[in-house]
Structure formats: C-alpha cells, structure tokens
Amino acid sequence: MSEFPDTFMSHAAEAVLYPDQVITAYAGGPGTVIVYSCHDRRYRTVLAEQKLNAFEPDEVVVCGYGDIEQARVRARAAGLTVRQVTWSLAENCRAHLEAWADTERLAGLPPVLDLRRELARRGFCLNWRSELTVCDRACVTRDFFIHTRVPTITAAVRHMPLGEGRAEVRVDLYDIAAEFASFSAPLQEGLVRTRANEITTALYRYLGH
C-alpha cells in the first residue's frame, strides 16, 4: 500500500468539520472558504479579505460560501438544523478530498494554481469547491470564482489537460444566472497571465469600464 493517497485519506477521514466553522464561513460572506490543511490535518475557515485564494497542495478548498448557501436553501426546505447541514457538508468534503488525492490530478495542478494566483491578484476569489471529474481519461478541474468588487459575478473556469504540459481552459462568466461572456483558449507556461487578463477584460467590458 502506497503512502499516498492512502495515508492522506486516513488522516483526512479523522478531520472534524464543526458547526461553528460553517457558521463563520457563511457569516464571512462571498469568497469565504473552508480548507483542509494537509499539514495540520484539520479544517479551518479563511475569510475573503485574507486574500488567500491559491492553497493547494498544502491546503485544499473543500467548501465555499456558495456551497453553504446552497446547503442552507435545501436545509430550510427540509427543516434541517445547522448540525445536520454540517454532517452533510462534511461528507461532501471527504468525497472531494478523495477525488483530489488522485495522483494524475495532482500532476496537472501547476497551471490550475498559476491561473488561480493570477486571478486572485485581479480580485477573483474562489467561492465554491472545485468540480473534479474525468473526461476522456483526463482529470478535469472546474473552478468557480466571484469578484470581490462585484460579488454577483461568477467566473467558471474549466481546465482540460491535453498532455505534455498543455491544457485548455473554458471560461464562462455570469451575472447571477445570466451568461454574458464565454471563450475557450490554450493554457500553458507563458499564457497564464494572458488568460487572466482576458477574463478580467471581459468582466470590465460587461461592467462598461
């Protein structure tokens, strides 16, 4: 049995998500996230104003304000308590960590992290945990950001690895639920800043700047 990911998952399974962490994250508003610290083997809440948007691989975003808001809406309809919502969110966190620990996915992280950092410098914050899927044998990551100045704006960025250090991103920008811009483009070393600039430009063009 290899040390990773088996040891990683055994440690992650022992981490406890507490209701007060969920409450703090929700009260923090859009851009606030809960992360799993791989070193401390515990969950912690990070507020949007702390400007820490690119955690991996040391800290993994397992739950965001957007995830909690969606869970809250479902909880109200079902008559659930915050403790029951926390149990459900904790199950989702563990499932996300199991998918994240796929070694092939970790090998494709660098361009994902580079683009997150560039977008963070331009005011974009992760607001949901990433969607992790497999498409045509490639480990696909889809990130969801809000903009600190305009929190009704969502940027969905899908990373599709193409091999040999190359990848493609699909970007969709929404104002609440209405899409106002979308494009696909290559992503590789030397193009990360260009892609971040294009996403920011599309946002400002929509806002009339």
Side-chain angles (χ1 to χ4, degrees):
M1 180 180 292
S2 62
E3 183 176 352
F4 186 91
D6 302 285
T7 301
F8 170 83
M9 285 309 304
S10 68
H11 291 159
E14 296 174 358
V16 179
L17 181 65
Y18 295 100
D20 63 336
Q21 292 175 312
V22 174
I23 293 169
T24 299
Y26 185 71
T32 301
V33 295
I34 296 173
V35 303
Y36 172 72
S37 172
C38 298
H39 297 303
D40 297 335
R41 304 175 188 175
R42 66 181 180 88
Y43 297 114
R44 70 185 189 92
T45 302
V46 181
L47 301 179
E49 57 264 27
Q50 292 178 288
K51 301 294 184 183
L52 297 174
N53 289 55
F55 306 94
E56 299 177 12
D58 297 323
E59 294 184 315
V60 185
V61 175
V62 293
C63 184
Y65 172 86
D67 298 303
I68 298 172
E69 171 62 16
Q70 291 172 352
R72 187 187 71 88
V73 171
R74 293 192 296 268
R76 291 187 65 180
L80 303 180
T81 66
V82 67
R83 187 173 298 277
Q84 290 171 313
V85 169
T86 301
W87 291 339
S88 177
L89 289 172
E91 290 180 358
N92 293 336
C93 291
R94 285 189 289 271
H96 179 79
L97 288 171
E98 185 173 357
W100 178 88
D102 184 292
T103 53
E104 291 185 14
R105 186 182 308 284
L106 295 179
L109 267 181
V112 176
L113 301 183
D114 289 343
L115 186 55
R116 286 180 187 170
R117 293 186 185 101
E118 286 297 330
L119 288 174
R121 295 187 182 104
R122 292 160 174 78
F124 289 91
C125 295
L126 288 169
N127 196 47
W128 290 265
R129 67 175 153 264
S130 302
E131 284 184 359
L132 307 179
T133 57
V134 176
C135 181
D136 296 330
R137 299 182 181 179
C139 295
V140 179
T141 301
R142 193 173 187 220
D143 287 337
F144 301 90
F145 303 85
I146 57 97
H147 196 276
T148 52
R149 286 187 54 237
V150 195
T152 62
I153 300 297
T154 299
V157 182
R158 180 177 180 267
H159 302 258
M160 168 69 82
L162 302 177
E164 300 179 354
R166 298 178 300 113
E168 182 181 77
V169 292
R170 166 76 184 190
V171 178
D172 299 290
L173 292 165
Y174 301 89
D175 186 348
I176 304 181
E179 183 181 279
F180 63 85
S182 64
F183 65 89
S184 297
L187 181 69
Q188 59 196 59
E189 188 176 356
L191 291 178
V192 173
R193 186 170 297 178
T194 299
R195 299 288 87 90
N197 286 338
E198 289 170 345
I199 294 170
T200 307
T201 298
L203 169 62
Y204 287 159
R205 184 182 298 120
Y206 172 74
L207 296 176
H209 292 187

